[in-house]
């Protein structure tokens, strides 16, 4: 897969915070399509299996990135409990929270 962006771990955290916040605000998506977390765990299993076979030295980076994504997503799901100034700091799209 070719990606047109090369996010740092912090940028991935922020991106997934925004995704989690969107899912929290649009609950009908989860009700209609189901939880994103199950698919996320299947992806991690597949990625881990692949990296163990093809590039084991890349595994720590991948696991750390996935950890940041998961924490960002879960935090986003609870965005309504966070003060706006915190949301602005941890969001990729800060102007959304104005």
């Amino acid at each position: 897969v070719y990606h047109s962006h090369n996010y740092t771990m912090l940028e991935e955290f922020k991106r997934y915070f925004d995704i989690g916040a969107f899912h929290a605000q649009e609950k009908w998506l989860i009700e209609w399509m189901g939880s994103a977390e199950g698919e996320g765990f299947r992806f991690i299993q597949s990625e881990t299996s692949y990296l163990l076979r093809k590039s084991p030295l890349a595994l720590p980076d991948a696991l750390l990135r996935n950890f940041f994504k998961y924490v960002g997503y879960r935090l986003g799901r609870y965005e309504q409990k966070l003060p706006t100034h915190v949301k602005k700091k941890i969001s990729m799209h800060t102007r959304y929270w104005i």
Side-chain angles (χ1 to χ4, degrees):
V1 174
Y2 172 77
H3 292 279
S4 62
H5 52 264
N6 191 18
Y7 291 139
T8 66
M9 286 187 209
L10 181 59
E11 289 170 329
E12 293 213 64
F13 170 86
K14 290 180 173 197
R15 180 176 187 220
Y16 277 78
F17 170 80
D18 290 346
I19 293 169
F22 176 72
H23 286 174
Q25 294 169 4
E26 302 295 335
K27 291 180 181 20
W28 65 272
L29 279 173
I30 301 298
E31 293 167 4
W32 179 50
M33 302 209 48
S35 171
E37 292 165 349
E39 192 61 37
F41 285 121
R42 280 188 287 282
F43 170 78
I44 290 170
Q45 288 174 328
S46 172
E47 180 183 46
T48 300
S49 175
Y50 176 83
L51 289 175
L52 282 171
R53 287 190 321 275
K54 301 290 186 179
S55 184
L57 293 178
L59 190 56
D61 181 73
L63 292 175
L64 193 55
R65 282 184 180 279
N66 287 324
F67 175 77
F68 274 89
K69 289 178 187 179
Y70 181 72
V71 171
Y73 179 78
R74 291 302 300 167
L75 197 55
R77 292 293 304 267
Y78 293 98
E79 63 81 18
Q80 70 276 4
K81 297 180 186 233
L82 299 173
T84 302
H85 74 278
V86 171
K87 291 186 246 190
K88 285 181 182 180
K89 288 253 187 227
I90 62 177
S91 175
M92 185 172 266
H93 301 283
T94 58
R95 290 192 291 158
Y96 176 79
W97 304 105
I98 294 175

